[in-house]
Amino acid sequence: MTLVSGAGDGSSPRDPAAVRIRLVAAGAALLTVGAGLGLRAVAAGGVAEYGGDTLYTVLLLALLVLVAPRWTPLRAAGTALALSWAVELFQLSSVPAELSRHSVAARLVLGSTFNAPDLFWYAVGAVGGGLLHTAMSRRRRTPVAGGRTPVAGDTPHT
């Protein structure tokens, strides 16, 4: 199963490791969307707003890994942060606000109003997501008994 082929990251469409990474990234994206919806349902004010900002960047990071599974955690997190900041800075123009008036999807993706503190919370999401991606990458690369690299479903040997 291949979700995206090519992506310029050196992975083959049939590379089992890339497929596993993509499956984990897709799961992470779904969990992130669920967390964002849950946060909006139970929280209000700054917690919901800034938590949503953080999760927005985590979602972008997961989607980037889905498309480019061989990207390093730093590259994926940095790109997610740059995209988040670009969207926020785009809000300094009137275009996102106008699009948001006509489309719920545009409001969810682009927002409508620039808010400088959002830039900080996007960075929090990039760092948190990047650290999680790094931890998952190390877990995949840690040799198991016999010196081979573990694959999904391996159980640790004691």
Side-chain angles (χ1 to χ4, degrees):
M1 176 181 134
T2 299
L3 297 174
V4 177
S5 64
D9 64 1
S11 64
S12 152
R14 292 189 178 96
D15 178 11
V19 171
R20 280 191 303 276
I21 293 166
R22 286 187 171 115
L23 289 173
V24 171
L30 290 173
L31 284 172
T32 303
V33 169
L37 293 172
L39 183 63
R40 289 285 181 177
V42 301
V47 171
E49 179 182 351
Y50 298 128
D53 292 341
T54 301
L55 291 170
Y56 180 85
T57 303
V58 171
L59 176 61
L60 286 176
L61 193 155
L63 293 174
L64 286 166
V65 172
L66 181 67
V67 173
R70 296 292 186 191
W71 275 15
T72 65
L74 181 61
R75 183 176 183 187
T79 303
L81 179 59
L83 290 170
S84 297
W85 281 352
V87 168
E88 190 67 30
L89 294 171
F90 187 43
Q91 293 170 2
L92 289 169
S93 76
S94 62
V95 175
E98 183 61 30
L99 292 173
S100 292
R101 279 194 276 279
H102 302 289
S103 168
V104 172
R107 185 170 41 251
L108 291 172
V109 174
L110 299 176
S112 61
T113 309
F114 176 78
N115 184 27
D118 291 353
L119 299 171
F120 169 77
W121 292 105
Y122 295 140
V124 170
V127 169
L131 289 173
L132 183 59
H133 184 11
T134 298
M136 295 295 291
S137 296
R138 284 191 179 139
R139 183 174 167 262
R140 278 193 316 269
R141 291 187 186 118
T142 302
V144 292
R148 66 181 182 82
T149 301
V151 294
D154 274 350
T155 55
H157 300 339
T158 56

